[in-house]
């Protein structure tokens, strides 16, 4: 493998980048995705045989929309499980060249190259789309002079969350919590049950005891009053959800004045076009579900070379 290859199994990620999952997890995911695509014998693959085969992995116009390459460790794991080797020509996290461009070279048995083709291309297309959207959002925020955190959400594709969270990091965004066992988060539907638990403060105390000292606790709020109550009851993070920009900034200022150590997060329907309206001196984090649920996939292709 070339020394300039991007992070993958056993490689070191770039500064601040979300690390790839460990090799055993990558192989497990690769096998599950291959099982989905090929749950029974395929006569076409059998006919391809095991002759050593070379192929070029190409991007198709990613540069026109500011595309960012992502998903390399996952795609490499798919080809690895298929008995193939990959040499990357474009580093992970790099801008994809304009037009049709060589991204990697794949070598291995013909059935392995063809068997891993569609799964690997889907991974690269989806991850690169997420990373590209994340990079655009971070670029918008930095252009406004805002130095806070742009984060994702749990609005991810079932079975593909780990790859999409990784892709957010490649694009420069924060993946946010990976699942329900990470950050302890009381959302609006939890708060609707607070009365039965003895009130919000008692609910927060109960969650803290159950979650342990290693977890931070966030509370989703829809007004300044709710945010102040949550911060006063011990929340580490208040999520100001679905507030109009003017109301959001006023509420954030009140929270920071009363509880300067509390993290203030803005969330709820924020997209690239409206992002600048939600950035401000009292906002620490902006979380955006669109970075995953609305990111358009980029296009990749595999071309087998004749012997």
């Amino acid at each position: 493998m070339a020394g300039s290859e991007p992070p993958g199994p056993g490689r070191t990620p770039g500064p601040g980048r979300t690390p790839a999952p460990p090799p055993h997890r990558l192989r497990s995911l690769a096998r599950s995705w291959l099982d989905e695509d090929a749950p029974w014998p395929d006569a076409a693959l059998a006919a391809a045989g095991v002759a050593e085969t070379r192929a070029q992995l190409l991007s198709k116009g990613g540069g026109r929309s500011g595309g960012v390459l992502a998903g390399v460790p996952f795609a490499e794991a798919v080809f690895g499980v298929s008995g193939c080797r990959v040499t990357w020509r474009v580093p992970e996290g790099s801008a994809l060249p304009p037009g049709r461009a060589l991204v990697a070279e794949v070598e291995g048995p013909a059935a392995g190259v063809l068997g891993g083709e569609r799964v690997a291309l889907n991974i690269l297309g989806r991850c690169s789309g997420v990373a590209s959207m994340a990079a655009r959002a971070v670029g918008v925020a930095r252009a406004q002079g805002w130095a806070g955190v742009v984060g994702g959400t749990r609005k991810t594709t079932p079975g593909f969350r780990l790859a999409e969270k990784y892709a957010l990091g490649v694009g420069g965004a924060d993946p946010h919590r990976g699942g329900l066992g990470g950050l302890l988060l009381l959302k609006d539907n939890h708060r609707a049950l607070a009365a039965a638990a003895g009130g919000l403060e008692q609910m927060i105390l109960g969650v803290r005891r159950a979650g342990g000292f290693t977890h931070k606790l966030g509370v989703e709020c829809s007004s300044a009053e709710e945010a102040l109550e949550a911060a006063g009851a011990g929340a580490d993070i208040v999520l100001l959800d679905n507030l109009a920009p003017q109301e959001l900034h006023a509420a954030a200022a009140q929270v920071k004045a009363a509880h300067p150590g509390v993290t203030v997060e803005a969330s709820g329907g924020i997209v690239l076009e409206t992002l600048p309206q939600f950035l401000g001196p009292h906002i620490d984090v902006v979380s955006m579900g669109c970075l995953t649920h609305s990111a358009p996939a980029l296009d990749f292709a595999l071309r087998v070379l004749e012997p």
Side-chain angles (χ1 to χ4, degrees), residues 145-221:
W146 187 74
V149 174
V150 175
T153 69
R154 283 170 50 238
K155 296 178 181 178
T156 54
T157 307
F160 205 63
R161 175 176 291 175
L162 193 58
E164 290 175 346
K165 291 286 189 178
Y166 170 82
L168 285 169
V170 173
D174 189 286
H176 214 290
R177 61 176 180 159
L180 292 176
L183 168 72
L184 304 173
L185 181 58
L186 298 177
K187 295 176 70 67
D188 55 349
N189 285 328
H190 296 92
R191 296 185 78 256
L193 304 172
L200 180 61
E201 184 173 1
Q202 288 303 311
M203 177 176 271
I204 287 176
L205 289 173
V207 170
R208 279 208 176 279
R209 283 194 297 269
F213 76 94
T214 61
H215 290 82
K216 287 188 175 183
L217 187 143
V219 179
E220 187 177 273
C221 305

Side-chain angles (χ1 to χ4, degrees), residues 47-90:
V50 296
E52 188 70 10
T53 301
R54 294 175 57 244
Q56 293 180 330
L57 199 159
L58 308 164
S59 62
K60 299 167 67 177
R64 287 199 300 270
S65 58
V68 175
L69 178 65
V72 163
F74 300 90
E76 185 170 306
V78 166
F79 280 123
V81 168
S82 302
C84 303
R85 305 169 302 282
V86 186
T87 302
W88 298 93
R89 301 304 183 192
V90 176

